[in-house]
Amino acid sequence: MDEKERHERGMIQRRKVLGNEWVDRANAKKTPFNAEFQDFITRAAWGEIWTRPHYDERTRRVLVIGSMIALAQWDEFRLHVRAALVEGGFTQDDIKEIILQQAIYCGVPAANHAFKEAASVIAEIAKQK
């Protein structure tokens, strides 16, 4: 597979996981400064890793959400919680269980903050309905 094909495959997967609205907004924010980075993550993260056959999409979502808690990457956490709830068929209980699992391995302060961030995302989604 060449890089163009990997990018196309990555864009399809990125849209599937994050939703068209998010990807369209991200693409609209591309500049000469960040365009290469956007191309890179589309090819590498979405076209190479998210399309590998071993883990299903649900498992990958759980791994990413848990990793974002561990790394305290709250913007990405919120993005992937929203995507899991809106695009991935996750329930609030699914998100709660991920956070509870991570509380043991990442610590109570991280889980406490994750609950705060997830509750905010859930409230935002509810307002949009």
Side-chain angles (χ1 to χ4, degrees):
M1 171 182 349
D2 67 18
E3 293 305 307
K4 184 175 189 250
E5 288 174 296
R6 186 169 284 110
H7 185 275
E8 289 170 3
R9 192 166 105 174
M11 189 57 73
I12 290 167
Q13 186 66 24
R14 191 176 184 186
R15 287 182 179 284
K16 181 179 176 191
V17 172
L18 300 178
N20 287 325
E21 189 177 314
W22 170 263
V23 175
D24 290 344
R25 273 196 316 270
N27 281 333
K29 293 177 184 176
K30 275 200 290 192
T31 67
F33 182 68
N34 68 14
E36 289 177 72
F37 177 70
Q38 289 296 318
D39 177 63
F40 169 71
I41 61 173
T42 300
R43 286 181 294 105
W46 300 106
E48 186 69 30
I49 300 303
W50 274 84
T51 58
R52 293 181 61 79
H54 187 79
Y55 289 120
D56 63 8
E57 187 179 294
R58 183 175 177 80
T59 302
R60 290 185 190 282
R61 287 179 186 274
V62 170
L63 288 166
V64 170
I65 292 169
S67 295
M68 295 305 97
I69 294 169
L71 296 169
Q73 295 297 315
W74 302 115
D75 290 341
E76 289 287 317
F77 172 80
R78 290 174 60 88
L79 164 65
H80 284 279
V81 166
R82 177 183 307 281
L85 291 167
V86 174
E87 305 292 337
F90 279 52
T91 66
Q92 291 180 26
D93 282 343
D94 293 328
I95 302 302
K96 175 181 70 177
E97 291 300 325
I98 296 168
I99 297 170
L100 289 171
Q101 178 75 23
Q102 293 305 94
I104 298 303
Y105 294 94
C106 302
V108 171
N112 186 47
H113 192 78
F115 272 112
K116 176 185 161 219
E117 295 291 340
S120 176
V121 169
I122 290 165
E124 290 169 8
I125 292 170
K127 282 183 187 177
Q128 295 172 348
K129 289 185 177 180

